[in-house]
Amino acid sequence: MKKRRPEIVLFTGFLGSGKTTMLLKTIEMLADKEKKCAIIINEIGDVGIDNRQMRKLGYDVLDLFGGCVCCTLKVTLEATINHLLNEYDNLDYILFEPSGMADPSALYPAITNCGYRENEIHNVFIFDPLRVDLYQVHLNQLFRDSLNLSKIVVINKIDEAPPEMVLQAREMAENIKPGVKCLMMNLNEELIPEFSRMLISGRW
Ligand SMILES: Nc1nc2c(ncn2[C@@H]2O[C@H](COP(=O)(O)OP(=O)(O)OP(=O)(O)O)[C@@H](O)[C@H]2O)c(=O)[nH]1
Ligand SMILES: [Mg+2]
């Protein structure tokens, strides 16, 4: 009997916001819970993903990394997701980090073409509070569009950003999307339990 489809989680956010850091923390947490993950990554930034790092995360994840599961998007996203769905019947999660320059809405058709409904796409928007000015001015439209598609906002770098900037980031998100769930995190530490619970339970 075929298992249900893997959950699909997108880590969106602008260049350098913390997508890869969050993704690595997430794999680590999921590997601890013996979940099987595939990663699709668009671009390797300054925090690279390599097999050595993966080896630390335990055999199950490493096993998947032996193949082509950690792909750059040489082929289209749609083909990559279909490949994962066809080749692996034991995947629990597909984690995807698009490029920080990508408009997330452009990615949705590829995912829905693979049989996911739009509301099944768990889009986590990573909002670096040190960049509020940039988002307010130059990237405002992209910010609005990204935020509107996201299921939750992670305001990270709370160890570096002064509290007033964190608050400003939160207010900015809430102004655009009233009621949006904002989780504050220092991604150099553990993910906060609330996020882990959402991911594991599938209730976002
Ligand atoms: N202090 C601190 N640094 C963070 C946090 N989150 C991410 N960083 C740092 O921010 C920098 C960029 O993080 P990445 O995870 O590479 O960001 P990205 O969004 O993947 O970047 P691109 O893929 O290049 O767009 C790295 O030096 C991270 O260590 C955080 O919560 N606190
Ligand atoms: Mg990255």
Side-chain angles (χ1 to χ4, degrees):
M1 200 178 70
K2 204 161 161 56
K3 256 189 62 175
R4 67 192 174 89
R5 269 197 310 258
E7 300 271 320
I8 189 147
V9 186
L10 255 58
F11 295 92
T12 59
F14 305 123
L15 292 172
S17 55
K19 299 178 291 299
T20 307
T21 311
M22 176 95 190
L23 182 132
L24 288 170
K25 287 282 166 175
T26 304
I27 317 169
E28 205 173 321
M29 185 273 291
L30 291 171
D32 269 355
K33 304 214 182 293
E34 297 181 3
K35 302 289 184 191
K36 296 203 193 283
C37 306
I39 299 172
I40 306 173
I41 190 158
N42 214 175
E43 231 172 47
I44 312 281
D46 48 327
V47 179
I49 292 189
D50 65 31
N51 281 332
R52 249 174 320 153
Q53 233 167 336
M54 291 305 127
R55 214 163 276 142
K56 289 193 213 138
L57 300 177
Y59 179 74
D60 284 343
V61 175
L62 180 69
D63 199 25
L64 291 173
F65 276 82
C68 60
V69 176
C70 179
C71 303
T72 52
L73 286 189
K74 287 199 195 82
V75 279
T76 65
L77 178 60
E78 186 176 330
T80 306
I81 295 173
N82 272 325
H83 171 79
L84 291 173
L85 297 178
N86 294 331
E87 292 299 311
Y88 299 88
D89 59 5
N90 60 350
L91 274 182
D92 298 303
Y93 294 87
I94 296 176
L95 308 176
F96 175 36
E97 179 190 346
S99 147
M101 295 305 281
D103 169 5
S105 66
L107 309 167
Y108 276 56
I111 304 171
T112 53
N113 283 347
C114 296
Y116 288 90
R117 288 192 309 270
E118 202 169 303
N119 65 3
E120 290 175 320
I121 303 171
H122 303 306
N123 179 338
V124 179
F125 179 66
I126 295 147
F127 185 7
D128 174 353
L130 297 166
R131 311 282 277 285
V132 277
D133 289 348
L134 177 72
Y135 304 142
Q136 246 155 0
V137 184
H138 299 292
L139 293 171
N140 199 261
Q141 194 56 50
L142 183 58
F143 179 79
R144 282 168 185 276
D145 295 347
S146 302
L147 195 70
N148 278 323
L149 277 175
S150 68
K151 286 205 177 166
I152 64 160
V153 175
V154 168
I155 299 177
N156 64 334
K157 305 194 186 180
I158 56 168
D159 54 315
E160 272 189 1
E164 56 277 13
M165 282 182 107
V166 175
L167 187 66
Q168 199 188 353
R170 185 181 194 147
E171 284 172 356
M172 197 172 150
E174 281 170 348
N175 275 336
I176 294 173
K177 195 175 181 183
V180 65
K181 189 190 263 302
C182 292
L183 301 178
M184 318 295 175
M185 293 195 214
N186 169 3
L187 291 177
N188 288 328
E189 290 178 357
E190 295 290 291
L191 294 176
I192 63 169
E194 190 177 355
F195 178 74
S196 306
R197 272 199 301 273
M198 283 167 67
L199 203 61
I200 298 291
S201 68
R203 286 193 297 274
W204 287 65

